[in-house]
C-alpha cells in the first residue's frame, strides 16, 4: 500500500473565519483595538515565538504552513500590509478555534 499523506499533516484547508469576520469573536476584536501590540504578543506566545514576531507577515506564513492553510507569501504580505488589524485578529481567532477543537 502506498503512503499518500505524511503522518501528522493536515488536509489542505482555509482559515476558519474570514479576514473581516470581526463579529465572530468580539472579544478578540476589542482586545486588538485596546492593545494591538498585546494581541501580537499573545499570538507569538501561542506559537512559542518571540513577542515582536506576533504582528509580522512571517508568523502568519508559519501558521499557514503548520496547518496546511491555502495561500501564499504574497497574499500574507497583502493581508498584513493592507489591513494588519484584520489579519492579526483573523489569526488569533483561528488559533483560539483550533485550541477549542484540540488541534492546536
Amino acid at each position: 500500500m502506498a503512503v499518500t499523506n505524511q503522518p501528522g499533516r493536515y488536509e489542505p484547508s482555509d482559515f476558519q473565519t474570514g479576514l473581516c469576520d470581526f463579529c465572530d469573536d468580539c472579544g478578540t476584536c476589542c482586545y486588538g483595538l485596546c492593545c494591538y501590540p498585546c494581541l501580537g504578543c499573545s499570538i507569538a506566545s501561542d506559537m512559542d515565538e518571540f513577542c515582536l514576531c506576533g504582528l509580522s507577515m512571517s508568523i502568519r506564513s508559519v501558521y499557514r504552513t503548520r496547518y496546511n492553510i491555502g495561500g501564499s507569501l504574497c497574499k500574507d504580505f497583502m493581508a498584513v500590509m493592507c489591513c494588519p488589524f484584520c489579519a492579526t485578529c483573523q489569526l488569533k481567532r483561528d488559533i483560539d478555534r483550533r485550541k477549542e477543537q484540540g488541534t492546536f
Side-chain angles (χ1 to χ4, degrees):
M1 176 183 228
V3 175
T4 57
N5 290 325
Q6 291 294 322
R9 297 293 302 181
Y10 296 93
E11 293 298 318
S13 64
D14 204 358
F15 282 100
Q16 296 180 38
T17 61
L19 192 61
C20 296
D21 288 344
F22 302 113
C23 293
D24 281 3
D25 184 357
C26 292
T28 297
C29 181
C30 290
Y31 183 35
L33 283 172
C34 291
C35 189
Y36 181 66
C38 296
L39 181 60
C41 285
S42 176
I43 289 170
S45 175
D46 290 338
M47 302 271 303
D48 293 325
E49 296 290 339
F50 181 65
C51 187
L52 298 177
C53 298
L55 300 175
S56 68
M57 178 194 94
S58 59
I59 196 104
R60 186 176 175 89
S61 298
V62 167
Y63 185 81
R64 272 191 327 90
T65 302
R66 184 179 293 174
Y67 291 100
N68 204 16
I69 296 172
S72 66
L73 289 174
C74 183
K75 287 181 181 179
D76 292 336
F77 176 79
M78 293 304 292
V80 171
M81 293 307 291
C82 292
C83 193
F85 178 77
C86 300
T88 304
C89 287
Q90 180 189 37
L91 182 56
K92 182 61 176 163
R93 284 192 307 268
D94 206 79
I95 289 170
D96 291 344
R97 288 196 178 186
R98 289 185 192 273
K99 283 181 178 179
E100 289 172 3
Q101 297 164 353
T103 59
F104 185 77

